[in-house]
Amino acid sequence: MRRTLTMAAVVAALLVPAGPLPVAEAVGGAVPVAVGRWSAREAQAFWTAERMASAAPLPPGPPGGADPASPEPPEPQEPAEPQEPAEPPEPAEPAEPAGEVPVATRPPTPTGLPLPSAPSIATPAPTPAPAPTPAATAAPTPTRAPAPLTPAPLPAPARAAVAPLPALTPGIGQNFDGIPVAGRMFLVKDGGAYFCTASVVSSPGRNLVLSAGHCLLGSDTQQVAFVPQYTRAKPQPYGMFPVLRDAGGHSKIWIDPRYRSQGVDRAATLDVAFAQVGPNSRGFPVESVVGGNRLVTGAAYAQARVTLIGHPASAARPRVCVNRTTKFTSADARIPGSFLRINCTGYPGGTSGGPFLTRYDARTGTGDVVGVIGGWKTGGDKADTSYSSYFGADIRKLYEKAVAGAKAGR
């Protein structure tokens, strides 16, 4: 989502170390991963609490953002487009306010259980052998090797506890402690530490995360990791789930190739991305830990009640709002198409990729995801009105492509 920048944003940018961020060293005992990927423990070593807290909202790409020179590569990784220019981040939130966050404007733009110890075998005291007789000789006693030990199965992870949402007034956003299924997607781009919002979407492999396409574009997008229910007070309540890489070192992210080639404006109706994440440091897949939203395509633009989740700017906690959605058809020929629109206060930079949820279940903390903040002007030009690409046949095909690619990579 595009934002107006202030001097405070420039100060926030200084929190990010100057120059290229160091690549995390491999940490002993990490969950084994294939060549070219990185593990949860490596991600945790890189994304320290301090670095996560200083990460800035991802700046938008240039108008259009097209990369016509980048061809579509082999499956499963699609081509990355050239790096997007960085711009100063949104002002940091100095302290968690008791009330609402200030409204900002947006310019157009698993440790597996240890193996059981081997059973001890008593050794009897030696007994003198009887003297042999001419009639018979004692038959030798056969010996058997002990049966191999079978590792104890890993226990199923405890499902994340879901706190009730605060009392909500339609259209009025509130800071809250978050829900397990949604969180921050951290990444390095152009030497800076950034984040967007993302959420888990149910899949056969239980390992897919959904965000906005413009959040994950760029050939220099590296060290990508998803942290469910991130808050500054509890930065890793369920661990960290790294976005896996293929043997060539490319992050396993699926974005419609037309979005890459035509750009963020011309192909705004395709501003959606799926990413395959590895298990956390205990070896559990993300959906087994926090649950997952059901992807719904072909629903109506107008929904009577949608729950909107996002991580605004450098706020200490995420934000929630409920309201109805309406259909918005762009009158700008440079950004064609129809989108979902929702009025919810206080959704500036960082909220891009946040889920639009219908039929939210307070018991499971999940719902049907019918959109993500993005699309028209990468989510909107005002912090109080957000947009989403429509989830139709193209998004369903992209999801199926991600499911197939994630399965092939296992």
Side-chain angles (χ1 to χ4, degrees), residues 87-188:
E87 61 179 339
E90 199 60 21
E93 178 179 330
E96 180 68 12
E100 304 168 14
V101 298
V103 173
T105 58
R106 298 175 287 187
T109 7
T111 278
L113 293 178
L115 293 177
S117 57
S120 57
I121 302 175
T123 302
T127 303
T133 64
T137 303
T141 301
T143 58
R144 295 179 180 174
L149 297 176
T150 302
L154 292 171
R159 288 302 298 269
V162 181
L165 298 180
L168 297 169
T169 300
I172 305 300
Q174 291 188 42
N175 290 347
F176 78 130
D177 288 331
I179 57 176
V181 77
R184 285 190 180 189
M185 182 78 91
F186 291 96
L187 56 97
V188 170

Side-chain angles (χ1 to χ4, degrees), residues 10-75:
V10 176
V11 173
L14 296 178
L15 295 175
V16 181
L21 290 171
V23 176
E25 296 291 337
V27 179
V31 177
V33 292
V35 174
R37 302 178 184 177
W38 71 319
S39 72
R41 293 186 181 178
E42 288 173 320
Q44 287 174 320
F46 183 86
W47 288 108
T48 62
E50 294 76 15
R51 181 167 283 159
M52 287 191 286
S54 66
L58 187 72
D67 183 21
S70 295
E72 183 72 7
E75 291 291 332

Side-chain angles (χ1 to χ4, degrees), residues 238-312:
Y238 303 106
M240 187 172 289
F241 299 83
V243 172
L244 297 181
R245 302 171 183 164
D246 60 23
H250 303 291
S251 295
K252 302 190 71 173
I253 295 167
W254 290 267
I255 297 173
D256 193 297
R258 291 168 293 177
Y259 190 74
R260 295 183 182 277
S261 63
Q262 297 176 25
V264 301
D265 286 343
R266 189 69 186 169
T269 58
L270 301 170
D271 190 4
V272 177
F274 294 95
Q276 181 184 0
V277 296
N280 62 12
S281 61
R282 298 189 63 214
F284 293 134
V286 64
E287 192 180 336
S288 297
V289 178
V290 302
N293 296 314
R294 297 164 296 278
L295 179 72
V296 171
T297 57
Y301 286 87
Q303 297 287 334
R305 184 181 177 88
V306 169
T307 302
L308 188 66
I309 309 292
H311 284 260

